[in-house]
Amino acid sequence: MNEKEIWKKLAESVVLMKEEQVAAVANTVLENGFSAREAILNGLTEGMRQVGVKFSEKVYFVPEVLVCADVMYRGFDILKDYAEDGDKPDSKKSSVLIGVVEGDFHDIGKNIVGLMLSTEGFIIHDLGANISASLFLEKIAELEPDIVALSTLMSTTLDKMKTIVDKIREEFSDRCPKIMVGGAPVSEHFAEQIGADFYGEDAGQAVVGAKQLVRVA
Amino acid sequence: MIKSPKKRFWDFVTHKKLADLPAIPIIVGDHAAYLSGIPVKEVCKSGKKLAEVLENSFFIYNHDLVIVFSDVTVEAEAMGTVISFPENDSPYILKYPDLSKIKAGDPLQAGRLPEILYAAECCLNSIGSDVQICVSLKDPFSLSAQLKDSGDFFRDCIKNPDLNTKILEIALENQKMFLREIIKVGCLPLIGAPLSSGSLISPAIFSKFVSPYLKPLIQIIREADLPVMIHICGDAEIIINEIMLLKPDILSVDQLDIPKNAGRFNGKTLFMGNFSTDLMVKGTTKNICSETKKLIQSVNYPFLPATGCDVPKVTPKENVIAFIKTVREYKEKI
């Protein structure tokens, strides 16, 4: 197999959830002296991008995305130490601080968005679930992310989402990161009302929006 | 003669005449607690308090179905999941049980199941002659996804299905026992499926891991000669064919094109939904009236106007009243 065939096989392994195949192909990359970095970018990441498309098109759902991600990470773990120093993917990319708002512990959607963004090259700072406004403020000051992504599955926590957005705007007025929101009860109208910069209907849209917000081609 | 909400509900379910159109804002523990000024934690932990706030909400709204439901963690807790109770917010999972030790809980003893049954009895005794009392219980898939990390549970639908099947079978046993007690008390069961949603799982996974564990519950309900009511959270469109194979009598939905599907499945299932809960909490009484009218007018077949999911905790009561008033006024014009 040449390099391009290897990349294709890696992408296919991710999309088709073939964990043993991804490990075998990743090892082939190393044995043949091919670029681990290129294999990650053009193989594993490309596979995950295709998974994102399938998720947006409702061909794949949460279980499939999670298993595909496991396969991607299996390949990534084999290749990551061989990606050239200082030239590893993601090293010069924009960062996203992501978390589920206070009062909500449903983090699957947030995890998928974080995963999709990371495969597109964003550096992800994942705060987890049930995150208070004060912790968001503390971490924004510490990490200076380009984007803050807020998620909730519960309509009961929409008020908390508004509070967090208000406090971020108040605290970081002139150097405020871009704010994107999403989750089942969130709508475009609601996002506009609370002053978010972007509303992502699903993980695929979140990636498109994040790229727009930091103007990545 | 003015009909009671109970008569209105049953007349409509039985005869499906538009003149009997009921109004069903899905009022559960947290909004009812908010209405009564009682912390959510107290309502979640005490059947007596839950009954009191649900009764109070009925006195305020006079809505056509009272649903006994405090929060989504009740059955998981009864099976060993450790739950945390914030003072005025919904409970959440702290720790999952040891899967090798989980077993179906006795609904008369395990966790808060007796509290739910007690709340149901209290509601029946106080307002049960005026309004139909429902008790919500989860489908085994949604319950199982609370007995271990939900991400791992979803993964294992593909990677380790046998492990999930074992959990589902125990969850089913738990729910069968709980369901029988709900029926014994004299309430109508409402099977809620928060995680068996097209927003999360494919039709194939629904067929393999949701339907087979719903069927035995449905059989018990049918044997009791009660209507089968199922509520699907999130997107139901993509799994609608799989759901309809279960032949529910009433299908409550959040995201579904009801006009299209009510026509497609007319006569087989009564659809219930799907007024936006976002609008309910954020809207004005004026736009709630106009959107309620639009919802009713959009469906050319009998259906139950309801919120798509639970009325959010902090919803202004004027908004809920506007929804109910609009449904009733619409009816009067027929």
Side-chain angles (χ1 to χ4, degrees):
Chain A
M1 280 194 287
N2 63 32
E3 240 180 337
K4 282 191 177 171
E5 287 167 338
I6 293 253
W7 297 342
K8 198 175 170 190
K9 205 76 183 165
L10 283 171
E12 178 201 282
S13 305
V14 171
V15 175
L16 299 180
M17 299 175 254
K18 293 184 173 175
E19 199 160 348
E20 295 313 313
Q21 179 175 298
V22 87
V25 181
N27 283 318
T28 306
V29 169
L30 301 180
E31 285 159 14
N32 287 281
F34 294 142
S35 163
R37 178 181 180 277
E38 293 293 319
I40 290 171
L41 281 177
N42 300 322
L44 299 176
T45 306
E46 168 57 21
M48 213 55 211
R49 190 196 63 76
Q50 292 174 24
V51 170
V53 171
K54 283 180 180 287
F55 184 70
S56 297
E57 292 172 347
K58 291 193 175 287
V59 175
Y60 275 7
F61 293 79
V62 171
E64 290 83 1
V65 172
L66 292 172
V67 174
C68 290
D70 288 349
V71 174
M72 184 203 71
Y73 279 119
R74 176 88 187 269
F76 184 73
D77 284 344
I78 293 168
L79 296 170
K80 65 183 180 189
D81 291 338
Y82 299 90
E84 299 86 340
D85 278 349
D87 199 22
K88 287 182 183 174
D90 305 349
S91 62
K92 293 170 188 170
K93 299 291 172 69
S94 304
S95 62
V96 180
L97 182 71
I98 190 167
V100 178
V101 304
E102 189 174 16
D104 192 350
F105 290 79
H106 300 88
D107 60 359
I108 289 179
K110 180 266 298 172
N111 292 345
I112 289 174
V113 170
L115 190 69
M116 293 294 188
L117 289 171
S118 72
T119 61
E120 291 287 338
F122 286 89
I123 299 164
I124 303 299
H125 303 293
D126 188 347
L127 295 181
N130 187 32
I131 305 303
S132 64
S134 57
L135 185 56
F136 270 109
L137 297 183
E138 183 190 322
K139 290 295 174 184
I140 292 168
E142 179 190 330
L143 301 165
E144 298 182 350
D146 299 286
I147 296 171
V148 175
L150 307 174
S151 156
T152 186
L153 183 74
M154 296 161 65
S155 49
T156 47
T157 51
L158 287 172
D159 280 352
K160 295 272 170 57
M161 188 176 261
K162 181 181 184 310
T163 304
I164 293 169
V165 173
D166 286 346
K167 289 192 174 173
I168 292 172
R169 295 251 180 256
E170 188 184 323
E171 181 84 14
F172 302 96
S173 53
D174 55 341
R175 54 197 172 87
C176 189
K178 299 290 185 186
I179 300 173
M180 56 193 288
V181 295
V186 182
S187 63
E188 190 152 15
H189 175 67
F190 175 74
E192 269 176 33
Q193 273 189 331
I194 65 171
D197 297 299
F198 184 82
Y199 158 67
E201 192 178 355
D202 55 34
Q205 284 298 309
V207 170
V208 173
K211 285 179 172 179
Q212 283 171 4
L213 291 175
V214 296
R215 292 194 179 84
V216 174
Chain B
M1 192 181 81
I2 297 170
K3 281 182 183 176
S4 73
K6 187 170 188 171
K7 182 156 175 47
R8 191 180 294 124
F9 176 79
W10 282 107
D11 276 357
F12 189 78
V13 169
T14 310
H15 305 296
K16 302 182 175 68
K17 285 183 185 163
L18 281 176
D20 292 322
L21 208 58
I24 309 179
I26 300 180
I27 309 291
V28 296
D30 59 353
H31 177 66
Y34 172 76
L35 273 182
S36 297
I38 292 176
V40 172
K41 180 181 181 176
E42 286 184 27
V43 166
C44 289
K45 296 196 99 167
S46 157
K48 185 169 177 286
K49 293 268 184 194
L50 176 60
E52 282 172 7
V53 298
L54 289 172
E55 287 157 15
N56 188 39
S57 70
F58 177 68
F59 296 141
I60 292 169
Y61 294 140
N62 198 37
H63 49 306
D64 293 315
L65 191 66
V66 165
I67 300 169
V68 178
F69 176 80
S70 63
D71 61 276
V72 295
T73 65
V74 171
E75 294 114 300
E77 185 190 33
M79 293 184 71
T81 299
V82 181
I83 306 299
S84 175
F85 294 87
E87 193 59 25
N88 207 11
D89 233 321
S90 299
Y92 59 88
I93 293 170
L94 273 184
K95 194 181 167 197
Y96 297 99
D98 179 345
L99 288 178
S100 66
K101 292 178 183 164
I102 56 165
K103 57 178 185 178
D106 176 355
L108 301 178
Q109 292 185 28
R112 289 176 288 144
L113 295 180
E115 297 296 329
I116 297 294
L117 294 169
Y118 181 64
E121 279 187 57
C122 292
C123 287
L124 272 176
N125 291 335
S126 59
I127 53 175
S129 56
D130 296 324
V131 63
Q132 178 60 48
I133 311 294
C134 263
V135 177
S136 173
L137 77 161
K138 255 169 295 310
D139 74 302
F141 183 89
S142 300
L143 170 55
S144 298
Q146 293 183 305
L147 297 173
K148 68 180 193 181
D149 177 86
S150 53
D152 289 343
F153 183 79
F154 283 133
R155 277 186 182 88
D156 283 340
C157 288
I158 295 169
K159 291 171 95 168
N160 199 347
D162 290 346
L163 185 57
N164 275 5
T165 300
K166 282 180 191 161
I167 299 169
L168 279 159
E169 278 166 6
I170 303 170
L172 171 60
E173 282 313 304
N174 192 79
Q175 296 309 76
K176 279 161 81 172
M177 290 200 286
F178 187 32
L179 173 60
R180 286 194 181 103
E181 288 302 323
I182 291 168
I183 294 170
K184 204 161 141 190
V185 166
C187 288
L188 194 58
L190 166 61
I191 303 175
L195 297 174
S196 305
S197 163
S199 302
L200 300 171
I201 59 170
S202 65
I205 285 183
F206 191 97
S207 291
K208 188 171 177 185
F209 295 99
V210 179
S211 298
Y213 302 93
L214 272 173
K215 283 176 183 169
L217 298 181
I218 289 171
Q219 191 184 338
I220 292 170
I221 298 170
R222 293 225 184 279
E223 283 167 3
D225 203 21
L226 292 170
V228 173
M229 292 180 72
I230 298 176
H231 172 77
I232 302 284
C233 290
D235 182 5
E237 198 80 53
I238 198 137
I239 51 174
I240 190 65
N241 290 332
E242 286 68 24
I243 298 167
M244 295 310 288
L245 288 174
L246 299 166
K247 298 179 180 159
D249 296 295
I250 298 173
L251 180 62
S252 163
V253 289
D254 188 355
Q255 296 163 28
L256 183 84
D257 185 340
I258 291 185
K260 184 182 84 181
N261 286 289
R264 199 175 148 212
F265 298 106
N266 184 32
K268 294 175 186 165
T269 289
L270 195 53
F271 285 85
M272 174 170 149
N274 52 357
F275 191 84
S276 161
T277 51
D278 184 31
L279 188 61
M280 189 61 92
V281 67
K282 297 287 177 194
T284 61
T285 53
K286 195 177 169 189
N287 60 23
I288 284 171
C289 286
S290 63
E291 291 302 314
T292 304
K293 277 181 198 162
K294 272 189 208 166
L295 172 68
I296 298 170
Q297 285 164 354
S298 70
V299 189
N300 292 321
Y301 297 87
F303 86 113
L304 294 161
T307 46
C309 207
D310 307 347
V311 169
K313 183 178 87 175
V314 297
T315 300
K317 67 179 174 189
E318 294 74 22
N319 289 4
V320 179
I321 290 167
F323 171 78
I324 295 169
K325 189 167 173 275
T326 308
V327 174
R328 300 222 166 118
E329 282 176 357
Y330 178 85
K331 188 176 66 184
E332 284 163 8
K333 285 178 189 167
I334 296 171

